[in-house]
């Protein structure tokens, strides 16, 4: 099981004095502030997160997404490639039909 989101909130509150209820502030802290911290502090943050790896979160979290990032739509996703086995059969069938003509 991955590290629960509540652990990320607790660590941000502990190390960054960020209000754990402000999800966007927590996200900004991890993306903007943490990379600028000394390596020793980053190691402490990682250790704190890893101690709760695999545990169950304290509370149900409301799912949220960064407001500045648009959610992708299905129509914008790339097409799925043809599986190699199916492509090989297709080529074989094309060759067989060409010989019959």
């Amino acid at each position: 099981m991955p590290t629960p989101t509540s652990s990320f909130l607790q660590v941000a509150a502990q190390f960054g004095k960020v209000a754990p209820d402000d999800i966007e502030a927590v996200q900004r802290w991890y993306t903007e502030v943490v990379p600028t911290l000394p390596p020793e502090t980053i190691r402490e943050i990682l250790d704190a997160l890893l101690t709760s790896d695999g545990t169950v979160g304290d509370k149900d979290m409301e799912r949220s997404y960064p407001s500045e990032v648009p959610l992708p739509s299905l129509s914008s996703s790339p097409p799925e490639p043809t599986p190699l086995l199916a492509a090989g059969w297709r080529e074989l069938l094309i060759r067989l039909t060409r010989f019959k003509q």
Side-chain angles (χ1 to χ4, degrees):
M1 238 157 97
T3 303
T5 305
S6 59
S7 298
F8 284 91
L9 300 176
Q10 292 168 357
V11 168
Q14 177 186 351
F15 288 92
K17 309 297 184 235
V18 178
D21 296 335
D22 187 357
I23 300 296
E24 289 187 7
V26 171
Q27 290 173 344
R28 276 194 308 275
W29 183 74
Y30 277 104
T31 58
E32 297 172 8
V33 177
V34 171
T36 65
L37 296 174
E40 299 81 27
T41 307
I42 294 174
R43 274 190 219 101
E44 289 177 29
I45 292 168
L46 289 174
D47 288 340
L49 289 170
L50 288 173
T51 57
S52 62
D53 186 37
T55 61
V56 177
D58 296 339
K59 59 182 179 178
D60 290 333
M61 298 297 303
E62 179 181 329
R63 296 189 185 267
S64 67
Y65 300 94
S67 58
E68 64 275 358
V69 179
L71 292 176
S73 65
L74 283 176
S75 61
S76 67
S77 62
E80 184 177 349
T82 306
L84 292 177
L85 180 61
W89 280 107
R90 183 173 179 250
E91 291 297 318
L92 177 64
L93 290 173
I94 290 172
R95 285 188 208 156
L96 288 174
T97 56
R98 285 188 186 156
F99 285 123
K100 289 185 179 182
Q101 291 178 352

XYZ file of all heavy atoms in Angstrom:
786
model
N 0.828 -1.168 0.000
C 0.000 0.000 0.000
C 0.880 1.242 0.000
O 1.909 1.278 0.660
C -0.863 -0.003 1.264
C -2.334 0.033 0.957
S -3.301 -0.625 2.317
C -3.748 0.851 3.142
N 0.508 2.273 -0.724
C 1.327 3.475 -0.769
C 1.175 4.309 0.500
O 0.322 4.042 1.346
C 0.764 4.227 -1.973
C -0.642 3.760 -2.081
C -0.630 2.336 -1.608
N 2.001 5.322 0.590
C 1.924 6.256 1.713
C 0.605 7.013 1.636
O 0.267 7.568 0.602
C 3.103 7.241 1.657
O 4.324 6.500 1.650
C 3.086 8.178 2.848
N -0.170 7.043 2.725
C -1.452 7.740 2.683
C -1.282 9.253 2.499
O -0.295 9.837 2.933
C -2.083 7.442 4.037
C -1.172 6.543 4.755
C 0.085 6.394 3.981
N -2.250 9.855 1.870
C -2.218 11.297 1.643
C -2.166 12.057 2.959
O -1.508 13.099 3.056
C -3.454 11.724 0.827
O -3.490 10.958 -0.368
C -3.404 13.193 0.479
N -2.831 11.539 3.967
C -2.820 12.218 5.262
C -1.405 12.338 5.818
O -1.081 13.301 6.517
C -3.728 11.507 6.255
O -3.323 10.166 6.428
N -0.527 11.383 5.494
C 0.866 11.468 5.946
C 1.582 12.629 5.270
O 2.382 13.327 5.903
C 1.602 10.167 5.646
O 1.015 9.110 6.338
N 1.299 12.847 3.978
C 1.900 13.983 3.289
C 1.445 15.293 3.928
O 2.228 16.234 4.071
C 1.542 13.965 1.800
C 2.317 12.944 1.019
C 1.829 11.666 0.848
C 3.546 13.269 0.456
C 2.541 10.724 0.128
C 4.270 12.334 -0.268
C 3.769 11.057 -0.424
N 0.177 15.339 4.330
C -0.339 16.547 4.972
C 0.333 16.773 6.319
O 0.712 17.903 6.657
C -1.859 16.435 5.149
C -2.687 16.265 3.880
C -4.153 16.059 4.231
C -2.516 17.448 2.956
N 0.485 15.705 7.106
C 1.110 15.821 8.419
C 2.570 16.246 8.314
O 3.044 17.086 9.083
C 1.006 14.497 9.169
C -0.400 14.126 9.557
C -0.506 12.689 10.032
O 0.470 11.929 10.025
N -1.711 12.294 10.429
N 3.282 15.682 7.351
C 4.702 16.028 7.176
C 4.848 17.476 6.728
O 5.735 18.201 7.195
C 5.382 15.050 6.188
C 6.743 15.538 5.768
C 5.484 13.671 6.821
N 3.971 17.936 5.842
C 4.007 19.337 5.409
C 3.726 20.265 6.578
O 4.349 21.326 6.707
C 3.005 19.574 4.289
N 2.800 19.874 7.450
C 2.505 20.693 8.624
C 3.685 20.698 9.593
O 4.032 21.736 10.158
C 1.250 20.178 9.312
N 4.316 19.549 9.760
C 5.426 19.425 10.707
C 6.673 20.163 10.228
O 7.265 20.933 10.966
C 5.764 17.946 10.919
C 6.946 17.702 11.827
C 7.323 16.230 11.892
O 6.609 15.365 11.390
N 8.451 15.951 12.497
N 7.070 19.937 8.990
C 8.328 20.504 8.501
C 8.163 21.876 7.858
O 9.090 22.674 7.876
C 8.978 19.555 7.483
C 9.559 18.321 8.096
C 8.816 17.168 8.208
C 10.868 18.304 8.564
C 9.343 16.017 8.772
C 11.410 17.165 9.130
C 10.642 16.011 9.246
N 7.004 22.134 7.250
C 6.830 23.385 6.525
C 5.875 24.360 7.159
O 5.641 25.440 6.623
N 5.294 23.964 8.315
C 4.319 24.823 8.998
C 3.183 25.221 8.060
O 2.694 26.337 8.075
C 4.980 26.073 9.591
C 6.194 25.810 10.446
C 5.850 24.986 11.669
C 7.069 24.824 12.557
N 7.380 23.464 12.854
N 2.776 24.269 7.194
C 1.698 24.491 6.226
C 0.405 23.965 6.836
O 0.401 22.896 7.452
C 1.996 23.754 4.897
C 0.875 23.940 3.904
C 3.306 24.238 4.312
N -0.675 24.698 6.661
C -1.970 24.243 7.159
C -2.378 22.982 6.406
O -2.514 23.011 5.180
C -3.018 25.331 6.972
N -2.569 21.869 7.114
C -2.869 20.615 6.423
C -4.220 20.621 5.716
O -4.465 19.774 4.860
C -2.823 19.565 7.535
C -2.933 20.312 8.802
C -2.457 21.702 8.550
N -5.094 21.548 6.045
C -6.397 21.617 5.379
C -6.323 22.334 4.037
O -7.252 22.242 3.239
C -7.417 22.332 6.271
C -7.679 21.542 7.544
O -7.476 20.308 7.528
O -8.085 22.151 8.552
N -5.225 23.044 3.792
C -5.060 23.782 2.540
C -4.258 22.921 1.564
O -3.030 22.968 1.520
C -4.363 25.114 2.806
C -4.304 26.008 1.589
O -4.753 25.585 0.492
O -3.795 27.144 1.726
N -4.970 22.118 0.774
C -4.325 21.153 -0.124
C -3.411 21.848 -1.124
O -2.298 21.375 -1.396
C -5.388 20.317 -0.869
C -6.256 19.548 0.115
C -4.753 19.370 -1.870
C -5.527 18.518 0.925
N -3.856 22.965 -1.678
C -3.026 23.657 -2.677
C -1.743 24.195 -2.053
O -0.683 24.165 -2.678
C -3.824 24.766 -3.346
C -4.899 24.212 -4.271
C -5.588 25.284 -5.086
O -5.155 26.452 -5.051
O -6.564 24.943 -5.770
N -1.803 24.659 -0.813
C -0.595 25.132 -0.124
C 0.362 23.967 0.128
O 1.581 24.115 -0.013
C -0.960 25.822 1.182
N -0.184 22.819 0.470
C 0.645 21.626 0.681
C 1.322 21.229 -0.622
O 2.527 20.945 -0.653
C -0.200 20.461 1.251
C 0.597 19.168 1.268
C -0.701 20.802 2.641
N 0.574 21.223 -1.721
C 1.154 20.876 -3.020
C 2.257 21.863 -3.410
O 3.318 21.460 -3.897
C 0.072 20.851 -4.091
C -0.875 19.699 -3.950
C -2.053 19.772 -4.909
O -2.334 20.814 -5.490
N -2.744 18.663 -5.069
N 2.003 23.152 -3.196
C 3.036 24.159 -3.509
C 4.273 23.952 -2.657
O 5.400 24.099 -3.132
C 2.477 25.581 -3.291
C 1.715 26.126 -4.460
C 1.477 27.632 -4.334
N 0.888 28.006 -3.061
C -0.417 27.998 -2.789
N -1.272 27.603 -3.703
N -0.864 28.359 -1.601
N 4.082 23.601 -1.389
C 5.225 23.392 -0.504
C 6.095 22.248 -1.023
O 7.315 22.370 -1.077
C 4.751 23.107 0.924
C 5.888 22.956 1.888
C 6.673 23.943 2.397
C 6.390 21.731 2.422
N 7.627 23.408 3.227
C 7.473 22.047 3.263
C 6.021 20.407 2.281
C 8.202 21.094 3.955
C 6.738 19.445 2.965
C 7.825 19.788 3.797
N 5.459 21.137 -1.432
C 6.229 20.000 -1.943
C 6.905 20.315 -3.272
O 8.013 19.841 -3.532
C 5.344 18.759 -2.101
C 5.167 17.988 -0.805
C 3.987 18.074 -0.084
C 6.181 17.185 -0.305
C 3.824 17.374 1.104
C 6.028 16.487 0.878
C 4.844 16.585 1.578
O 4.693 15.888 2.753
N 6.271 21.087 -4.132
C 6.848 21.332 -5.459
C 7.808 22.513 -5.487
O 8.754 22.513 -6.268
C 5.748 21.565 -6.503
O 4.936 22.664 -6.106
C 4.911 20.320 -6.696
N 7.584 23.515 -4.639
C 8.401 24.725 -4.711
C 9.403 24.856 -3.575
O 10.534 25.307 -3.794
C 7.496 25.962 -4.733
C 6.598 26.014 -5.955
C 5.570 27.140 -5.893
O 5.652 27.978 -4.959
O 4.680 27.164 -6.759
N 9.017 24.483 -2.364
C 9.891 24.711 -1.212
C 10.818 23.528 -0.942
O 12.022 23.720 -0.736
C 9.055 25.043 0.047
C 9.945 25.206 1.260
C 8.224 26.293 -0.186
N 10.282 22.328 -0.960
C 11.091 21.150 -0.607
C 12.351 21.028 -1.466
O 13.429 20.759 -0.929
C 10.234 19.862 -0.649
C 11.099 18.625 -0.515
C 9.184 19.898 0.445
N 12.286 21.245 -2.789
C 13.527 21.119 -3.569
C 14.618 22.119 -3.183
O 15.793 21.885 -3.470
C 13.064 21.371 -5.015
C 11.620 21.020 -5.020
C 11.121 21.412 -3.665
N 14.261 23.206 -2.517
C 15.256 24.212 -2.130
C 15.842 23.969 -0.744
O 16.763 24.668 -0.338
C 14.628 25.624 -2.149
O 13.614 25.698 -1.144
C 14.048 25.942 -3.512
N 15.333 22.987 -0.023
C 15.797 22.707 1.330
C 17.134 21.973 1.303
O 17.488 21.334 0.304
C 14.759 21.856 2.072
C 13.401 22.511 2.299
C 12.433 21.506 2.915
C 13.524 23.736 3.177
N 17.882 22.044 2.401
C 19.149 21.305 2.478
C 18.902 19.797 2.370
O 17.844 19.301 2.787
C 19.695 21.659 3.868
C 18.902 22.812 4.354
C 17.619 22.831 3.606
N 19.875 19.079 1.820
C 19.709 17.625 1.656
C 19.370 16.891 2.955
O 18.612 15.923 2.938
C 21.059 17.164 1.105
C 21.651 18.370 0.478
C 21.140 19.547 1.256
N 19.908 17.348 4.083
C 19.619 16.685 5.358
C 18.138 16.798 5.710
O 17.523 15.847 6.187
C 20.453 17.294 6.496
C 21.945 17.178 6.310
C 22.511 18.250 5.375
O 21.924 19.352 5.265
O 23.536 17.975 4.736
N 17.564 17.962 5.465
C 16.144 18.163 5.756
C 15.282 17.335 4.818
O 14.269 16.744 5.237
C 15.774 19.655 5.625
O 16.674 20.423 6.429
C 14.356 19.916 6.053
N 15.669 17.261 3.548
C 14.921 16.446 2.589
C 14.955 14.983 3.013
O 13.943 14.275 2.927
C 15.472 16.643 1.163
C 15.210 18.078 0.694
C 14.845 15.648 0.193
C 15.839 18.429 -0.629
N 16.098 14.511 3.507
C 16.197 13.133 3.994
C 15.263 12.908 5.183
O 14.609 11.864 5.294
C 17.639 12.801 4.391
C 18.455 12.317 3.226
C 19.805 11.763 3.671
N 20.772 12.180 2.686
C 21.623 13.199 2.801
N 21.667 13.904 3.897
N 22.446 13.515 1.832
N 15.190 13.884 6.092
C 14.280 13.762 7.235
C 12.820 13.694 6.768
O 12.024 12.914 7.302
C 14.455 14.954 8.180
C 15.755 14.957 8.947
C 15.894 16.199 9.809
O 14.863 16.744 10.246
O 17.026 16.634 10.030
N 12.482 14.513 5.775
C 11.123 14.498 5.225
C 10.823 13.142 4.598
O 9.767 12.551 4.835
C 10.940 15.642 4.201
C 10.985 16.985 4.920
C 9.657 15.496 3.409
C 11.093 18.188 3.998
N 11.758 12.624 3.814
C 11.565 11.307 3.186
C 11.446 10.207 4.234
O 10.610 9.315 4.106
C 12.714 11.009 2.224
C 12.731 11.828 0.940
C 14.000 11.536 0.147
C 11.502 11.555 0.116
N 12.272 10.272 5.265
C 12.184 9.272 6.330
C 10.827 9.331 7.017
O 10.228 8.294 7.317
C 13.300 9.476 7.361
C 14.666 9.076 6.833
O 14.723 8.313 5.848
O 15.677 9.538 7.401
N 10.331 10.542 7.253
C 9.019 10.686 7.892
C 7.913 10.119 7.010
O 6.984 9.472 7.495
C 8.749 12.159 8.198
N 8.021 10.331 5.701
C 7.021 9.785 4.782
C 7.120 8.268 4.690
O 6.109 7.564 4.640
C 7.168 10.409 3.394
C 6.757 11.875 3.284
C 7.165 12.441 1.934
C 5.268 12.029 3.505
N 8.342 7.749 4.668
C 8.539 6.303 4.538
C 8.100 5.540 5.783
O 7.740 4.367 5.689
C 9.989 5.987 4.201
C 10.408 6.344 2.775
C 11.905 6.157 2.595
C 9.638 5.520 1.767
N 8.099 6.185 6.943
C 7.659 5.483 8.153
C 6.173 5.154 8.090
O 5.719 4.205 8.717
C 7.939 6.302 9.423
O 7.295 7.567 9.313
C 9.427 6.474 9.646
N 5.418 5.938 7.324
C 3.977 5.651 7.211
C 3.632 4.911 5.925
O 2.460 4.724 5.613
C 3.184 6.955 7.298
O 3.533 7.809 6.238
N 4.649 4.482 5.192
C 4.410 3.736 3.952
C 3.708 2.428 4.269
O 4.131 1.673 5.139
C 5.735 3.462 3.248
C 5.561 2.832 1.887
O 4.603 3.200 1.193
O 6.382 1.972 1.530
N 2.605 2.173 3.594
C 1.869 0.938 3.794
C 0.842 0.989 4.903
O 0.151 0.011 5.147
N 0.732 2.127 5.586
C -0.267 2.238 6.648
C -1.574 2.773 6.076
O -1.628 3.273 4.959
C 0.219 3.180 7.769
O 0.425 4.481 7.211
C 1.491 2.672 8.400
N -2.604 2.663 6.867
C -3.909 3.174 6.460
C -4.011 4.627 6.911
O -3.590 4.971 8.013
C -5.036 2.331 7.095
C -6.399 2.880 6.740
C -4.904 0.887 6.667
N -4.566 5.478 6.068
C -4.692 6.894 6.397
C -5.612 7.117 7.583
O -6.496 6.319 7.886
N -5.404 8.240 8.265
C -6.196 8.576 9.444
C -7.636 8.929 9.107
O -8.542 8.673 9.871
C -5.560 9.757 10.183
C -4.191 9.400 10.728
O -3.925 8.205 10.893
O -3.407 10.323 10.986
N -7.827 9.558 7.961
C -9.175 9.996 7.611
C -9.366 9.873 6.106
O -8.400 9.799 5.352
C -9.406 11.442 8.046
C -8.421 12.434 7.423
C -8.672 13.834 7.919
C -7.664 14.778 7.294
N -7.870 16.140 7.669
N -10.610 9.827 5.701
C -10.896 9.800 4.268
C -10.590 11.172 3.694
O -11.026 12.195 4.219
C -12.363 9.453 4.020
C -12.664 8.006 4.368
O -11.729 7.188 4.288
O -13.820 7.711 4.713
N -9.847 11.175 2.619
C -9.455 12.440 2.006
C -10.365 12.743 0.836
O -10.706 11.857 0.061
C -8.010 12.362 1.496
C -6.974 12.125 2.571
S -6.882 13.441 3.757
C -6.545 14.821 2.705
N -10.739 13.990 0.729
C -11.469 14.416 -0.451
C -10.458 14.518 -1.577
O -9.408 15.135 -1.428
C -12.117 15.772 -0.201
C -12.885 16.303 -1.376
C -13.496 17.660 -1.087
O -13.845 17.926 0.064
O -13.589 18.442 -2.046
N -10.764 13.899 -2.693
C -9.825 13.934 -3.816
C -9.835 15.324 -4.429
O -10.883 15.913 -4.636
C -10.193 12.893 -4.846
C -10.069 11.490 -4.307
C -10.217 10.482 -5.412
N -10.210 9.155 -4.864
C -9.125 8.402 -4.733
N -7.974 8.854 -5.128
N -9.206 7.202 -4.227
N -8.651 15.812 -4.701
C -8.550 17.120 -5.349
C -7.416 17.061 -6.356
O -6.522 16.224 -6.264
C -8.281 18.211 -4.318
O -6.998 18.052 -3.757
N -7.475 17.932 -7.310
C -6.469 17.998 -8.354
C -5.950 19.426 -8.405
O -6.686 20.369 -8.095
C -7.079 17.604 -9.701
C -7.634 16.205 -9.695
C -8.982 15.975 -9.421
C -6.818 15.117 -9.919
C -9.488 14.692 -9.390
C -7.321 13.835 -9.891
C -8.653 13.625 -9.621
O -9.147 12.356 -9.582
N -4.709 19.619 -8.815
C -4.186 20.983 -8.911
C -5.068 21.810 -9.843
O -5.413 21.374 -10.935
C -2.781 20.801 -9.491
C -2.429 19.377 -9.223
C -3.718 18.612 -9.189
N -5.417 22.999 -9.396
C -6.340 23.821 -10.180
C -5.713 24.338 -11.466
O -6.405 24.611 -12.438
C -6.839 24.993 -9.338
O -5.739 25.761 -8.895
N -4.402 24.458 -11.504
C -3.757 25.009 -12.693
C -3.485 23.962 -13.774
O -3.036 24.285 -14.863
C -2.451 25.720 -12.326
C -1.373 24.815 -11.746
C -1.480 24.582 -10.257
O -2.384 25.143 -9.615
O -0.656 23.828 -9.725
N -3.768 22.699 -13.476
C -3.522 21.624 -14.433
C -4.856 21.102 -14.951
O -5.677 20.621 -14.176
C -2.736 20.465 -13.771
C -2.499 19.346 -14.760
C -1.428 20.972 -13.212
N -5.091 21.194 -16.264
C -6.363 20.679 -16.783
C -6.369 19.150 -16.759
O -5.352 18.503 -16.982
C -6.399 21.202 -18.219
C -4.960 21.407 -18.584
C -4.253 21.776 -17.309
N -7.524 18.598 -16.464
C -7.650 17.147 -16.475
C -7.724 16.667 -17.917
O -8.432 17.258 -18.737
C -8.901 16.717 -15.723
C -8.871 16.955 -14.216
C -10.210 16.582 -13.599
C -7.769 16.154 -13.575
N -7.007 15.608 -18.263
C -7.046 15.119 -19.645
C -8.397 14.480 -19.958
O -9.061 13.933 -19.089
C -5.920 14.080 -19.686
C -5.762 13.647 -18.271
C -6.123 14.828 -17.420
N -8.776 14.548 -21.204
C -10.006 13.897 -21.637
C -9.650 12.636 -22.420
O -8.527 12.477 -22.899
C -10.824 14.839 -22.512
O -10.125 15.109 -23.702
N -10.605 11.747 -22.556
C -10.351 10.518 -23.307
C -10.032 10.807 -24.770
O -9.214 10.116 -25.385
C -11.559 9.592 -23.225
C -11.710 8.845 -21.910
C -12.997 8.030 -21.915
C -10.530 7.943 -21.661
N -10.667 11.829 -25.335
C -10.421 12.129 -26.748
C -9.003 12.647 -26.990
O -8.496 12.557 -28.104
C -11.446 13.144 -27.264
O -11.328 14.348 -26.541
N -8.354 13.172 -25.961
C -6.993 13.685 -26.141
C -5.930 12.629 -25.860
O -4.752 12.878 -26.043
C -6.752 14.895 -25.235
O -6.772 14.498 -23.879
N -6.343 11.446 -25.405
C -5.366 10.408 -25.113
C -4.893 9.756 -26.414
O -5.625 9.680 -27.390
C -5.964 9.359 -24.177
O -7.051 8.733 -24.789
N -3.658 9.279 -26.431
C -3.150 8.654 -27.659
C -3.855 7.328 -27.927
O -4.326 6.668 -27.005
C -1.664 8.430 -27.355
C -1.575 8.407 -25.875
C -2.677 9.290 -25.363
N -3.929 6.926 -29.194
C -4.577 5.655 -29.507
C -3.749 4.484 -28.978
O -2.532 4.565 -28.867
C -4.631 5.635 -31.034
C -3.551 6.561 -31.456
C -3.429 7.605 -30.379
N -4.425 3.431 -28.665
C -3.748 2.240 -28.172
C -3.088 1.525 -29.339
O -3.697 1.336 -30.394
C -4.758 1.311 -27.509
C -4.116 0.109 -26.894
C -5.137 -0.757 -26.175
O -6.273 -0.322 -25.989
O -4.769 -1.879 -25.818
N -1.821 1.142 -29.198
C -1.155 0.455 -30.311
C -1.721 -0.944 -30.512
O -2.225 -1.573 -29.586
C 0.308 0.382 -29.860
C 0.251 0.467 -28.376
C -0.948 1.312 -28.051
N -1.642 -1.422 -31.718
C -2.092 -2.776 -32.036
C -1.121 -3.763 -31.405
O 0.093 -3.626 -31.568
C -2.122 -2.981 -33.558
O -2.909 -1.960 -34.139
C -2.672 -4.343 -33.918
N -1.623 -4.745 -30.674
C -0.719 -5.742 -30.083
C 0.091 -6.445 -31.171
O -0.400 -6.662 -32.284
C -1.668 -6.723 -29.387
C -2.954 -5.984 -29.234
C -3.009 -4.990 -30.339
N 1.323 -6.786 -30.870
C 2.213 -7.393 -31.856
C 1.651 -8.683 -32.425
O 1.740 -8.929 -33.625
C 3.590 -7.633 -31.242
C 4.383 -6.380 -30.904
C 5.700 -6.754 -30.243
C 4.640 -5.556 -32.151
N 1.057 -9.510 -31.585
C 0.509 -10.768 -32.082
C -0.613 -10.500 -33.080
O -0.670 -11.113 -34.145
C -0.009 -11.616 -30.924
C -0.603 -12.966 -31.308
C 0.448 -13.836 -31.983
C -1.179 -13.663 -30.098
N -1.488 -9.540 -32.771
C -2.580 -9.206 -33.689
C -2.031 -8.621 -34.987
O -2.533 -8.920 -36.069
C -3.540 -8.230 -33.029
N -0.997 -7.807 -34.898
C -0.408 -7.221 -36.105
C 0.221 -8.308 -36.968
O 0.112 -8.289 -38.194
C 0.638 -6.174 -35.726
N 0.842 -9.285 -36.334
C 1.441 -10.396 -37.085
C 0.389 -11.223 -37.808
O 0.568 -11.598 -38.970
N -0.721 -11.508 -37.169
C -1.810 -12.251 -37.811
C -2.401 -11.457 -38.956
O -2.743 -11.998 -40.004
C -2.903 -12.602 -36.798
C -2.566 -13.788 -35.968
C -2.204 -13.797 -34.674
C -2.542 -15.139 -36.399
N -1.953 -15.064 -34.258
C -2.158 -15.930 -35.299
C -2.807 -15.784 -37.611
C -2.028 -17.301 -35.355
C -2.687 -17.160 -37.673
C -2.294 -17.905 -36.560
N -2.529 -10.175 -38.756
C -3.085 -9.317 -39.818
C -2.201 -9.377 -41.064
O -2.687 -9.530 -42.183
C -3.200 -7.884 -39.290
C -3.813 -6.928 -40.261
C -4.048 -5.570 -39.581
N -4.614 -4.660 -40.539
C -3.971 -3.627 -41.052
N -2.752 -3.344 -40.657
N -4.541 -2.844 -41.936
N -0.894 -9.261 -40.854
C 0.039 -9.340 -41.975
C -0.038 -10.700 -42.665
O -0.010 -10.790 -43.889
C 1.475 -9.070 -41.501
C 1.730 -7.647 -41.076
C 1.547 -6.676 -42.221
O 1.988 -6.977 -43.357
O 0.951 -5.608 -41.985
N -0.145 -11.758 -41.872
C -0.248 -13.105 -42.436
C -1.518 -13.237 -43.283
O -1.479 -13.773 -44.394
C -0.238 -14.144 -41.314
C -0.420 -15.594 -41.758
C 0.750 -16.046 -42.639
C -0.583 -16.497 -40.569
N -2.626 -12.734 -42.777
C -3.881 -12.803 -43.529
C -3.810 -11.993 -44.823
O -4.327 -12.417 -45.859
C -5.047 -12.337 -42.656
C -5.416 -13.283 -41.513
C -6.473 -12.640 -40.623
C -5.901 -14.611 -42.043
N -3.178 -10.859 -44.783
C -3.016 -10.047 -45.999
C -2.197 -10.817 -47.028
O -2.547 -10.875 -48.209
C -2.373 -8.682 -45.666
C -3.371 -7.816 -44.897
C -1.902 -7.982 -46.925
C -2.768 -6.531 -44.347
N -1.120 -11.448 -46.583
C -0.291 -12.233 -47.511
C -1.070 -13.399 -48.102
O -0.967 -13.689 -49.295
C 0.951 -12.748 -46.790
C 1.971 -11.705 -46.542
C 3.237 -12.324 -46.004
N 3.928 -11.358 -45.183
C 4.783 -11.656 -44.233
N 5.046 -12.920 -43.976
N 5.375 -10.721 -43.553
N -1.835 -14.094 -47.269
C -2.611 -15.238 -47.749
C -3.672 -14.811 -48.755
O -3.898 -15.502 -49.743
C -3.262 -15.975 -46.573
C -2.313 -16.764 -45.696
C -3.054 -17.325 -44.483
C -1.633 -17.877 -46.457
N -4.320 -13.714 -48.533
C -5.345 -13.255 -49.477
C -4.732 -12.783 -50.780
O -5.344 -12.878 -51.816
C -6.209 -12.136 -48.871
O -5.379 -11.068 -48.441
C -7.017 -12.664 -47.690
N -3.526 -12.294 -50.758
C -2.851 -11.861 -51.994
C -2.502 -13.046 -52.876
O -2.521 -12.973 -54.085
C -1.592 -11.056 -51.663
C -1.911 -9.669 -51.180
C -0.663 -8.853 -51.048
N -0.994 -7.571 -50.438
C -0.136 -6.835 -49.776
N 1.102 -7.264 -49.623
N -0.502 -5.682 -49.269
N -2.143 -14.197 -52.242
C -1.798 -15.371 -53.042
C -3.022 -15.963 -53.739
O -2.906 -16.562 -54.789
C -1.134 -16.442 -52.151
C 0.285 -16.097 -51.798
C 0.671 -16.010 -50.456
C 1.228 -15.845 -52.771
C 1.961 -15.693 -50.123
C 2.530 -15.533 -52.438
C 2.892 -15.450 -51.103
N -4.189 -15.822 -53.162
C -5.392 -16.390 -53.739
C -5.883 -15.583 -54.927
O -6.610 -16.090 -55.749
C -6.507 -16.458 -52.691
C -6.257 -17.518 -51.636
C -7.406 -17.628 -50.703
C -7.138 -18.709 -49.684
N -8.250 -18.894 -48.778
N -5.505 -14.364 -55.056
C -6.012 -13.526 -56.159
C -5.325 -13.772 -57.441
O -4.418 -14.146 -57.852
C -5.878 -12.046 -55.801
C -6.811 -11.661 -54.694
C -6.640 -10.203 -54.314
O -5.739 -9.521 -54.772
N -7.525 -9.725 -53.475
